[in-house]
Amino acid sequence: ANGGSSWSNHNAQLGTIQFYRGSLHPSNPNFALGGSQDNGTEKWQGTNTWQFLYGGDGQASAIATTEPDRRWAIFAQGLWIMRTLDGWGHSFYRVDAGIEQANRPFYSLFVKSLVSDDVFITATHSMWKTTNFFSGTPVLWFTNGPDMANAITAMAFAPSDLSGNTYAYGGRNADYYGPNAALRLTTDGGATWKDINLGNKVPNDTVTGLAFAQSNANVLYLTLSGFDNFRPAGHVFKTTNALAANPVWLNISPPVNLPHNAIAVDGPNGEAVYVGTDMGIWRSADGGTKWVHMGPEVGMPNVVVNDLQLNPSNGRLVAFTFGRGAFALVNTTNVSELAFTSIQISGSDVLLTFKTVLGRSYLVRGSDNVPFGSWFAVANNVPGTGNPVTVSDSGGALHPKRFYQVLTSP
């Protein structure tokens, strides 16, 4: 304020960590692990302070379903995989012996099975698997898929398969000019694999995320990096017959030409979809038909989102960003018009009907523009009955409003 004679520090509470990936505690909403550029792996326990656990470039992590306060797995650059059995940062030990040294990518990942803490998959140019990750001494890895001649960049288990034998992986085609991304799926734990992009509907670019619907392994989503300028359009694709001999893929992308880096889905058939892009998050409440940007108007910065982690048991969604730390979506549901059971417009009145949860209170508000419009309350403290309720938006200078939002109490 005085021409540079003195300066005031405006960096207080500004998170600048560059996260690559993270993981969530299965039951404690105030516990997470995050892997970050240059700052290694950190632990979060409900405050704005993250505790340092391990150095290097932190990558993926996993928290055991059984003994989640003691058993963690972390990943560092160059496919270094480590575990701890006692929950202390100084007791991580490498457990990646046996995985090929050639073709190890600098940035990679692993994924823990949803039905067994001992089962993990990871990848070089091939899939690798272990079935004794936390119990074994030593941990034994074995090849679990064909050599793709290029790095595998995304993997996911199907939650609906209680045997844990259905999972998929993807990556860029080894032929840089090839017409299709490389996608494979197994239903027998890796004994056999099928190509799920035979129709070349998913263009050739880096596959950054895969996500099955919670209760239906036929519903599978994926995200792609890159830009549409140099290949066929599309960054989010969906199939509803992933288990068929030749799945049909649909381009359901949000209306932006940006790299898409992560995806998370919720609901039995994947009705709620979240994608992390190079400029924040997009959400669809109807399986990808209509999208809403979740940016500064809901507290989410327009920054690169590298990973999205959703805990279905408590609804906690966490975005791990590259440069602004991590953000949790708590007690707020942003909805498009299609998320309401019904909307009726009659003259200057709009009747909005939406489902509620018993015991929660709701605020409904509308705006003429997002993200820059001013919000006006439509209804305060709508009681949650467990059934659909109807509120009225009557009149107003900006009426009829184009966007509506529901905020809920805990």
Side-chain angles (χ1 to χ4, degrees), residues 307-378:
D307 192 19
L308 289 169
Q309 291 291 324
L310 175 68
N311 187 335
S313 66
N314 56 29
R316 171 64 63 91
L317 176 72
V318 176
F320 293 87
T321 81
F322 199 71
R324 287 296 308 278
F327 289 77
L329 181 65
V330 184
N331 300 331
T332 300
T333 303
N334 292 293
V335 294
S336 67
E337 291 181 355
L338 290 179
F340 288 95
T341 304
S342 66
I343 296 179
Q344 299 177 5
I345 300 177
S346 177
S348 61
D349 293 333
V350 177
L351 299 179
L352 306 105
T353 302
F354 60 96
K355 294 181 179 180
T356 64
V357 176
L358 185 66
R360 289 187 178 182
S361 61
Y362 293 78
L363 166 66
V364 184
R365 60 185 185 173
S367 174
D368 66 318
N369 192 21
V370 172
F372 304 108
S374 299
W375 289 101
F376 295 86
V378 176

Side-chain angles (χ1 to χ4, degrees), residues 180-185 193-200 242 244-247:
N180 61 316
L183 297 169
R184 300 290 187 273
L185 183 145
W193 294 85
K194 69 169 184 174
D195 187 340
I196 55 174
N197 193 20
L198 289 172
N200 299 340
N246 187 10

Side-chain angles (χ1 to χ4, degrees), residues 181 183 197 200-207 209-211 219-225 228 231-240 248-254 260 263 265 273 275 287-288 291:
L183 297 169
N197 193 20
N200 299 340
K201 294 298 184 181
V202 180
N204 188 16
D205 214 324
T206 301
V207 181
L210 288 163
V219 179
L220 176 61
Y221 295 84
L222 66 82
T223 51
L224 295 178
S225 188
D228 294 341
R231 58 165 175 76
H235 289 90
V236 182
F237 289 81
K238 174 184 180 180
T239 179
T240 57
V248 176
W249 291 92
L250 297 176
N251 179 1
I252 59 164
S253 304
H260 285 49
I263 187 166
V265 301
V273 187
V275 292
W291 295 90

Side-chain angles (χ1 to χ4, degrees), residues 110-335:
F110 56 42
V111 179
K112 184 181 76 67
S113 166
L114 301 172
V115 297
S116 172
D117 286 338
D118 264 339
V119 176
F120 277 70
I121 53 176
T122 189
T124 56
H125 285 193
S126 303
M127 180 74 72
W128 291 79
K129 185 176 183 179
T130 179
T131 57
N132 70 339
F133 187 87
F134 284 112
S135 64
T137 305
V139 175
L140 302 176
W141 294 89
F142 52 90
T143 54
N144 191 230
D147 189 334
M148 302 300 292
N150 204 10
I152 294 169
T153 52
M155 298 175 282
F157 283 94
S160 60
D161 182 358
L162 299 184
S163 70
N165 286 327
T166 300
Y167 45 97
Y169 68 77
R172 189 178 186 114
N173 197 312
D175 178 2
Y176 187 86
Y177 297 102
N180 61 316
L183 297 169
R184 300 290 187 273
L185 183 145
T186 182
T187 57
D188 54 18
T192 61
W193 294 85
K194 69 169 184 174
D195 187 340
I196 55 174
N197 193 20
L198 289 172
N200 299 340
K201 294 298 184 181
V202 180
N204 188 16
D205 214 324
T206 301
V207 181
T208 52
L210 288 163
F212 287 92
Q214 290 295 318
S215 302
N216 188 350
N218 266 306
V219 179
L220 176 61
Y221 295 84
L222 66 82
T223 51
L224 295 178
S225 188
F227 295 90
D228 294 341
N229 309 59
F230 308 104
R231 58 165 175 76
H235 289 90
V236 182
F237 289 81
K238 174 184 180 180
T239 179
T240 57
N241 65 338
L243 303 181
N246 187 10
V248 176
W249 291 92
L250 297 176
N251 179 1
I252 59 164
S253 304
V256 286
N257 182 12
L258 291 169
H260 285 49
N261 312 308
I263 187 166
V265 301
D266 198 10
N269 288 297
E271 296 85 353
V273 187
Y274 301 86
V275 292
T277 76
D278 271 12
M279 196 172 179
I281 295 173
W282 288 78
R283 178 186 187 270
S284 174
D286 52 19
T289 300
K290 189 173 182 179
W291 295 90
V292 176
H293 185 244
M294 303 178 70
E297 72 278 2
V298 296
M300 184 70 210
N302 284 329
V303 68
V304 174
V305 177
N306 273 334
D307 192 19
L308 289 169
Q309 291 291 324
L310 175 68
N311 187 335
S313 66
N314 56 29
R316 171 64 63 91
L317 176 72
V318 176
F320 293 87
T321 81
F322 199 71
R324 287 296 308 278
F327 289 77
L329 181 65
V330 184
N331 300 331
T332 300
T333 303
N334 292 293
V335 294

